[in-house]
């Protein structure tokens, strides 16, 4: 079982009368790619800033690698790489010159850290090209390289695909999957678009108005949104026999109350109904259930449409 590297209890952050964060309960395990999903203003950036000590929480506690005291947490924060707001890179510097400047500023030992970070994000061959001439995707990748330069065990990224074209978003996703699988980097990443992180996340944390409204593993989310057929019959045993004989390709589960849930067959409800009737089974109800990811997301947040 993977151990918890970050644990947050009852975290709150208030700006005057505005509750930016309220009663945040969260734990991140080593190896997670945990996606924090919420519309703009949901509290994602404030949460990340509290974790990285860019702002101080009003209430609650934070434990990092088992350390709760201020000195211990500060020491463990050295293992965090973060890209929360766009770094102020020098427009007339190359990628290498920018990273070398920050390497020295941050006291990161070894010039090879620059080369490795550029290699990780596929910017090693940009040569003399200046930052001001980079595409948006290249700028995002350089920000990610800066976060990686200290060889972090935990990487925190706030909307890293925001504004990128589909190709740029795909590149970032592949890079994150590689960092997680090969370098064993735990990742905490945010977005306001659920589908952008669907292919990489192992966990989902949904936020709205400063609160976490639901936490799910990728498998749990898939199960909740999977399209299925639900039947209510007068005899579930007899119905199971008919289904096994006539629809062997559709897995099903018998549920309490003479209900049956089929993991498939959403386009064959008429055939299912006819077969059960012919087999002497009374069908009281038959319905297609489940939502797609976007519908589920909107349902959590009260049906509001998001960019």
């Amino acid at each position: 079982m993977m151990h918890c590297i970050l644990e947050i209890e009852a975290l709150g952050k208030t700006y005057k009368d505005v509750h930016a964060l309220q009663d945040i309960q969260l734990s991140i395990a080593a190896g997670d790619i945990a996606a924090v999903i919420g519309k703009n203003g949901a509290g994602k950036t404030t949460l990340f800033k509290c974790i990285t000590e860019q702002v101080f929480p009003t209430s609650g506690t934070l434990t990092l690698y088992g350390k709760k005291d201020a000195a211990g947490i500060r020491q463990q924060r050295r293992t965090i790489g973060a890209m929360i707001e766009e770094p102020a890179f020098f427009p007339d510097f190359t990628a290498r010159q920018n990273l070398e400047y920050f390497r020295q500023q941050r006291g990161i030992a070894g010039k090879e850290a620059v080369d490795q970070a550029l290699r990780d994000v596929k910017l090693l061959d940009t040569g003399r090209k200046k930052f001001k001439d980079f595409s948006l995707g290249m700028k995002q990748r350089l920000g990610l390289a800066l976060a990686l330069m200290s060889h972090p065990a935990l990487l925190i990224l706030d909307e890293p695909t925001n504004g990128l074209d589909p190709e740029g978003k795909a590149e970032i996703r592949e890079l994150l999957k590689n960092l997680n699988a090969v370098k064993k980097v735990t990742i905490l990443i945010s977005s306001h678009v659920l589908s952008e992180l669907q292919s990489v996340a192992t966990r989902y944390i949904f936020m709205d108005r400063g609160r976490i409204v639901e936490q799910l593993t990728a498998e749990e989310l898939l199960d909740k949104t999977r399209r299925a057929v639900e039947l209510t019959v007068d005899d579930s045993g007899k119905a199971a026999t008919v289904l096994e004989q006539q629809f062997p390709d559709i897995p099903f589960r018998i549920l309490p109350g003479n209900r049956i849930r089929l993991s498939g067959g959403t386009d064959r409800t008429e055939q299912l109904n006819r077969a059960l009737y012919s087999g002497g089974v009374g069908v009281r109800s038959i319905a297609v259930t489940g939502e797609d990811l976007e519908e589920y997301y909107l349902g959590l947040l009260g049906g509001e449409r998001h960019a």
Side-chain angles (χ1 to χ4, degrees), residues 4-9 61-68 73:
C4 178
I5 63 174
L6 171 65
E7 189 165 4
I8 294 170
E9 296 181 5
T61 61
L62 185 149
T63 304
L64 190 59
Y65 292 95
K67 304 292 185 181
K68 284 189 176 182
I73 290 175

Side-chain angles (χ1 to χ4, degrees), residues 91-112:
D92 290 316
F93 279 17
T94 66
R96 184 184 302 279
Q97 287 170 334
N98 268 296
L99 290 193
E100 179 58 26
Y101 169 82
F102 283 108
R103 184 188 72 80
Q104 294 181 31
Q105 286 290 310
R106 297 180 180 184
I108 299 171
K111 286 192 173 185
E112 64 275 6

Side-chain angles (χ1 to χ4, degrees), residues 74-128:
R74 192 168 294 113
Q75 181 180 16
Q76 293 300 327
R77 279 197 175 100
R78 296 173 185 171
T79 68
I80 296 177
M83 186 173 75
I84 296 177
E85 292 177 337
E86 185 176 324
F89 288 119
F90 296 99
D92 290 316
F93 279 17
T94 66
R96 184 184 302 279
Q97 287 170 334
N98 268 296
L99 290 193
E100 179 58 26
Y101 169 82
F102 283 108
R103 184 188 72 80
Q104 294 181 31
Q105 286 290 310
R106 297 180 180 184
I108 299 171
K111 286 192 173 185
E112 64 275 6
V114 171
D115 280 350
Q116 186 57 57
L118 290 173
R119 186 177 295 110
D120 285 340
V121 302
K122 298 181 181 178
L123 288 178
L124 191 59
D125 299 324
T126 52
R128 296 177 178 272

Side-chain angles (χ1 to χ4, degrees), residues 2 18 86 102 110 142 185 196 212 231 247 249 260-261:
M2 291 184 290
V18 177
E86 185 176 324
F102 283 108
L142 186 61
V185 178
E196 286 187 358
I212 292 177
L231 298 162
F247 301 94
D249 59 318
I260 298 177
R261 182 178 177 88

Side-chain angles (χ1 to χ4, degrees), residues 18-302:
V18 177
H19 298 290
L21 295 175
Q22 301 181 65
D23 194 29
I24 299 296
Q25 311 281 345
L26 179 63
S27 62
I28 302 299
D32 269 344
I33 301 180
V36 180
I37 307 293
K39 64 181 180 180
N40 294 331
K44 306 185 300 295
T45 300
T46 303
L47 173 60
F48 287 2
K49 285 184 174 181
C50 285
I51 296 171
T52 56
E53 208 178 24
Q54 294 182 39
V55 300
F56 294 96
T58 308
S59 59
T61 61
L62 185 149
T63 304
L64 190 59
Y65 292 95
K67 304 292 185 181
K68 284 189 176 182
D69 61 289
I73 290 175
R74 192 168 294 113
Q75 181 180 16
Q76 293 300 327
R77 279 197 175 100
R78 296 173 185 171
T79 68
I80 296 177
M83 186 173 75
I84 296 177
E85 292 177 337
E86 185 176 324
F89 288 119
F90 296 99
D92 290 316
F93 279 17
T94 66
R96 184 184 302 279
Q97 287 170 334
N98 268 296
L99 290 193
E100 179 58 26
Y101 169 82
F102 283 108
R103 184 188 72 80
Q104 294 181 31
Q105 286 290 310
R106 297 180 180 184
I108 299 171
K111 286 192 173 185
E112 64 275 6
V114 171
D115 280 350
Q116 186 57 57
L118 290 173
R119 186 177 295 110
D120 285 340
V121 302
K122 298 181 181 178
L123 288 178
L124 191 59
D125 299 324
T126 52
R128 296 177 178 272
K129 190 170 187 174
K130 295 178 180 179
F131 178 78
K132 65 183 180 183
D133 298 321
F134 282 11
S135 67
L136 179 57
M138 292 173 69
K139 290 178 178 178
Q140 292 285 75
R141 282 189 279 151
L142 186 61
L144 186 51
L146 179 59
L148 291 172
M149 198 162 50
S150 59
H151 308 292
L154 173 62
L155 185 61
I156 297 177
L157 304 173
D158 189 26
E159 301 270 6
T161 61
N162 196 24
L164 298 182
D165 59 23
E167 183 179 356
K169 291 175 181 179
E171 287 179 356
I172 294 293
R173 288 194 297 266
E174 287 304 309
L175 174 59
L176 296 180
K177 286 194 285 188
N178 183 68
L179 288 169
N180 179 257
V182 177
K183 299 202 171 189
K184 310 303 179 186
V185 178
T186 301
I187 299 170
L188 184 59
I189 181 173
S190 73
S191 179
H192 61 281
V193 182
L194 172 58
S195 58
E196 286 187 358
L197 301 181
Q198 181 185 350
S199 65
V200 298
T202 61
R203 286 186 57 208
Y204 295 92
I205 299 140
F206 293 96
M207 289 190 70
D208 187 37
R209 300 175 187 177
R211 294 182 180 273
I212 292 177
V213 294
E214 188 161 28
Q215 299 186 55
L216 297 166
T217 66
E219 292 78 12
E220 288 169 339
L221 180 60
L222 180 62
D223 189 59
K224 280 178 174 282
T225 58
R226 185 180 285 119
R227 307 290 279 181
V229 176
E230 282 206 3
L231 298 162
T232 303
V233 296
D234 61 359
D235 188 331
S236 58
K238 188 185 291 185
T241 300
V242 173
L243 294 173
E244 288 171 350
Q245 290 175 348
Q246 299 197 37
F247 301 94
D249 59 318
I250 305 178
F252 66 87
R253 289 181 295 164
I254 297 177
L255 305 173
N258 276 323
R259 292 182 300 122
I260 298 177
R261 182 178 177 88
L262 293 85
S263 301
T266 56
D267 58 344
R268 299 159 71 183
T269 54
E270 289 186 12
Q271 295 96 309
L272 287 163
N273 196 20
R274 284 198 300 268
L276 290 166
Y277 178 79
S278 298
V281 178
V283 179
R284 294 171 180 166
S285 68
I286 182 168
V288 175
T289 65
E291 305 169 291
D292 64 26
L293 289 170
E294 182 69 10
E295 288 172 340
Y296 185 79
Y297 174 33
L298 295 175
L300 279 178
L301 306 185

